[in-house]
Amino acid sequence: MKRFLTIALLIAGTTCFASEDLSKQATAFYSDNNYQKTMDLILQIDEKERSAQDWLILGNVLEDKGEKDNAIFMYQKAISENPKYYKAYYNLANYYAQNNQLNMAVQNYKKAASLNKENPYILYNLACTYIKLGEIKKAKTNLNKAIMLNSNIPEFHYNLAYVYKQLNKPKLAQTYLDNFNKLTNGGI
């Protein structure tokens, strides 16, 4: 019995390492935009062994192929695998924003932002969604937070200039437009 248990543990360990290797290889192929090889490798991993990142990558590949419903399913599988995996919420939010499901986008951007407080692009995209919803003050708050995290991204300043213009604050709007121009023209 002891020998059987040892052999069973070795086989289970080998499966785990094989899944990790396939996952690493798939990630490398994904980075090289070789989507077919990426899919082939991830699909070799047993569903129970797939990581949240594996599900996310499958979602990304399917979304790029135009299989939107399947992509959403994969992002949701990533979340069920790891409810703290912010990238899945972020990708879902991007999908919803692109398809004018703005309230769903806001909900998912907020969740992603709560899980990763250091990513300014989450806050930026949340702000852009608020702009589309006409919630300008919420957009302002999130753009200011994004700029606090990274003040070197021109689009953050440009959109904040737009927001301040909408709030009828022309001096602040001009300040951020000047920042945008400095960042895009190399400080000239």
Side-chain angles (χ1 to χ4, degrees):
M1 179 68 173
K2 184 176 180 183
R3 183 173 179 200
F4 174 76
L5 183 59
T6 303
I7 292 171
L9 288 173
L10 286 173
I11 291 171
T14 303
T15 302
C16 182
F17 289 127
S19 296
E20 287 178 24
D21 287 343
L22 288 170
S23 183
K24 286 178 185 176
Q25 291 173 16
T27 301
F29 279 108
Y30 180 72
S31 296
D32 290 337
N33 297 320
N34 187 337
Y35 299 143
Q36 189 57 53
K37 189 67 175 171
T38 301
M39 291 275 296
D40 292 344
L41 289 167
I42 292 176
L43 293 176
Q44 290 178 41
I45 302 169
D46 187 88
E47 284 190 29
K48 295 173 188 161
E49 299 290 324
R50 290 183 193 154
S51 68
Q53 181 174 320
D54 294 333
W55 290 111
L56 178 86
I57 289 172
L58 280 174
N60 290 348
V61 170
L62 290 168
E63 190 169 353
D64 287 344
K65 288 182 166 190
E67 297 181 36
K68 306 295 185 186
D69 291 339
N70 291 330
I72 290 172
F73 177 77
M74 297 303 169
Y75 298 147
Q76 291 169 338
K77 290 288 280 186
I79 291 167
S80 68
E81 179 63 33
N82 181 356
K84 295 185 178 185
Y85 191 57
Y86 83 91
K87 291 178 182 180
Y89 294 102
Y90 182 68
N91 285 17
L92 268 175
N94 287 337
Y95 170 80
Y96 289 132
Q98 291 168 0
N99 290 283
N100 286 323
Q101 294 175 287
L102 302 179
N103 291 324
M104 292 293 291
V106 166
Q107 177 183 341
N108 283 280
Y109 283 133
K110 282 181 168 183
K111 184 65 177 177
S114 74
L115 295 169
N116 184 333
K117 298 181 185 336
E118 302 300 317
N119 187 324
Y121 291 99
I122 297 171
L123 298 169
Y124 172 73
N125 287 348
L126 177 57
C128 290
T129 305
Y130 278 133
I131 290 170
K132 288 181 182 179
L133 286 167
E135 297 183 35
I136 302 301
K137 289 181 180 179
K138 289 180 181 179
K140 177 187 75 142
T141 299
N142 285 284
L143 285 167
N144 278 315
K145 288 178 184 178
I147 288 172
M148 286 175 54
L149 291 171
N150 189 337
S151 62
N152 295 318
I153 301 172
E155 292 79 11
F156 294 5
H157 295 271
Y158 185 83
N159 281 303
L160 194 52
Y162 170 81
V163 163
Y164 279 123
K165 183 177 179 187
Q166 295 302 304
L167 293 171
N168 200 26
K169 299 194 180 233
K171 288 183 182 179
L172 283 170
Q174 188 60 51
T175 297
Y176 284 98
L177 189 57
D178 291 344
N179 290 347
F180 168 79
N181 287 327
K182 286 177 189 172
L183 290 167
T184 56
N185 294 324
I188 298 174

